[in-house]
Amino acid sequence: MEPVSLPPQSRVALCGGTHGNEMSGVYLVRELQKLEKVGSATLTTVISNPRAVQMCKRYTDVDLNRCFTDAILSSPVTDATPYEVRRAQELNTLLGPKGSAGAMDLVCDLHNTTANMGLSLISYSAQDWVILHIYRQIQVSRVSIQLNQMRVKDKVKLIQDLIFETTSASIEVGPQPHGVVRADIFNIMKECFNSGGEVDDVYTFVKSIDYPRDPETNQITAAIHPQLQDRDFCLLHPGDPMFLMFSGEIVKYEGVEVLHPYFVNECAYYEKSIAFHLARKMTLTIPPLRVKRD
């Protein structure tokens, strides 16, 4: 592929606590607040949702991670405006405005998941070459690192997840219960910041799967089947068990395409009617980069 010329990426923002009970990002941001630069880049560290962090809750009024659409960022603020909407507009001013020439060159949002996803990198564009190169470097560096206490999968996953409209890129690390910090999970996230070709293990979002529900009460009537639990990114074949009904029956996958589940049994997704997402695996070829010089 022909090289792509891009301007220098000199302004970097690192955000933790977008969800106030996902603690690895909170503590990593607090640790990195002691620094002013990462290499030649100026580093801005932000606790995205300080009120939720103080309360150790995912959010106080609404999910901040769903408040970065253009419509919400431009909406008028009144006394009835939810805290997270006001905070999203504050962050947009601090780090943007979104899409402007003065915006940060790179915004990285740090998250934890209760799902067994290991180190997963979520991109919101299939052609954000800077982010994809960063992900490639993290993939390469992670292959060579051995962690004695690591229980999650060694290989880095890249998710092309276009269902969210948030910041430029997100890092998801798990499994970690919400409201606590684990040393092994914290260290995995920290390594991402201490360390051209093809990016393998790329997963593109296809659809979400909800739990079976009672048609009258809408209450969940099943749990993730034990054969699927903790098997994020493994193959899900037609006929494989997905749910175990509380009454004992097994609900099987009836799709025709072999896909990869992720965010399996994520705690925070119960309220969103999501048992897990399904993705299609692909290989993404990225071009070499050149920095534009004045």
Side-chain angles (χ1 to χ4, degrees):
M1 297 180 68
E2 290 295 323
V4 174
S5 296
L6 296 172
Q9 308 291 294
S10 60
R11 297 165 297 178
V12 177
L14 189 65
C15 301
T18 298
H19 294 137
N21 58 359
E22 298 177 8
M23 304 310 297
S24 291
V26 173
Y27 286 106
L28 181 57
V29 164
R30 288 173 177 170
E31 180 71 17
L32 294 179
Q33 281 176 340
K34 304 169 186 178
L35 306 177
E36 293 183 355
K37 284 184 175 292
V38 177
S40 60
T42 300
L43 178 66
T44 299
T45 50
V46 180
I47 298 294
S48 301
N49 196 336
R51 183 179 294 184
V53 169
Q54 185 177 18
M55 300 172 67
C56 198
K57 295 176 59 176
R58 182 175 175 85
Y59 54 82
T60 61
D61 293 327
V62 296
D63 192 338
L64 177 61
N65 209 33
R66 303 298 186 273
C67 291
F68 293 96
T69 64
D70 292 335
I72 291 177
L73 292 176
S74 61
S75 63
V77 174
T78 68
D79 291 341
T81 300
Y83 167 74
E84 276 81 10
V85 172
R86 297 198 304 270
R87 182 58 178 161
Q89 295 189 6
E90 292 172 359
L91 290 170
N92 188 48
T93 300
L94 175 65
L95 305 177
K98 185 178 179 180
S100 71
M104 291 285 169
D105 297 316
L106 174 64
V107 179
C108 189
D109 200 16
L110 306 177
H111 289 266
N112 290 120
T113 174
T114 61
N116 189 33
M117 290 172 57
L119 174 56
S120 300
L121 310 166
I122 302 178
S123 171
Y124 307 103
S125 170
Q127 291 187 317
D128 195 330
W129 304 126
V130 172
I131 292 173
L132 295 176
H133 268 275
I134 291 172
Y135 287 172
R136 176 59 179 165
Q137 292 305 312
I138 294 174
Q139 281 189 325
V140 171
S141 64
R142 287 290 299 134
V143 168
S144 64
I145 294 172
Q146 298 294 325
L147 291 178
N148 293 331
Q149 301 300 319
M150 187 174 176
R151 298 194 308 127
V152 297
K153 301 178 181 68
D154 284 337
K155 211 163 188 181
V156 180
K157 307 296 189 298
L158 171 59
I159 304 168
Q160 293 286 333
D161 203 336
L162 306 182
I163 62 172
F164 300 130
E165 291 187 65
T166 58
T167 51
S168 299
S170 294
I171 292 178
E172 288 274 0
V173 189
Q176 177 171 283
H178 292 324
V180 306
V181 61
R182 290 174 51 113
D184 53 348
I185 301 298
F186 176 87
N187 284 334
I188 293 169
M189 185 175 285
K190 186 175 182 180
E191 285 169 10
C192 291
F193 304 97
N194 293 332
S195 62
E198 289 185 341
V199 179
D200 54 6
D201 287 323
V202 178
Y203 298 86
T204 302
F205 171 81
V206 174
K207 62 181 178 179
S208 299
I209 301 294
D210 190 12
Y211 294 91
R213 294 180 181 272
D214 185 288
E216 296 182 358
T217 66
N218 201 40
Q219 296 297 311
I220 290 173
T221 57
I224 298 291
H225 194 278
Q227 291 185 31
L228 177 57
Q229 181 64 52
D230 298 326
R231 290 179 57 80
D232 297 69
F233 300 108
C234 293
L235 290 173
L236 184 65
H237 296 85
D240 284 349
M242 292 194 306
F243 300 103
L244 182 61
M245 302 292 290
F246 299 141
S247 55
E249 295 91 348
I250 295 174
V251 177
K252 297 181 179 180
Y253 174 51
E254 296 181 350
V256 297
E257 183 180 3
V258 178
L259 295 172
H260 300 260
Y262 66 102
F263 278 122
V264 176
N265 204 14
E266 161 59 42
C267 170
Y269 283 3
Y270 278 71
E271 69 178 44
K272 303 181 187 300
S273 299
I274 297 172
F276 54 88
H277 294 316
L278 286 174
R280 187 176 295 115
K281 190 174 181 179
M282 59 179 289
T283 296
L284 183 66
T285 301
I286 58 177
L289 297 183
R290 291 177 179 172
V291 178
K292 291 181 180 177
R293 302 294 184 185
D294 295 333

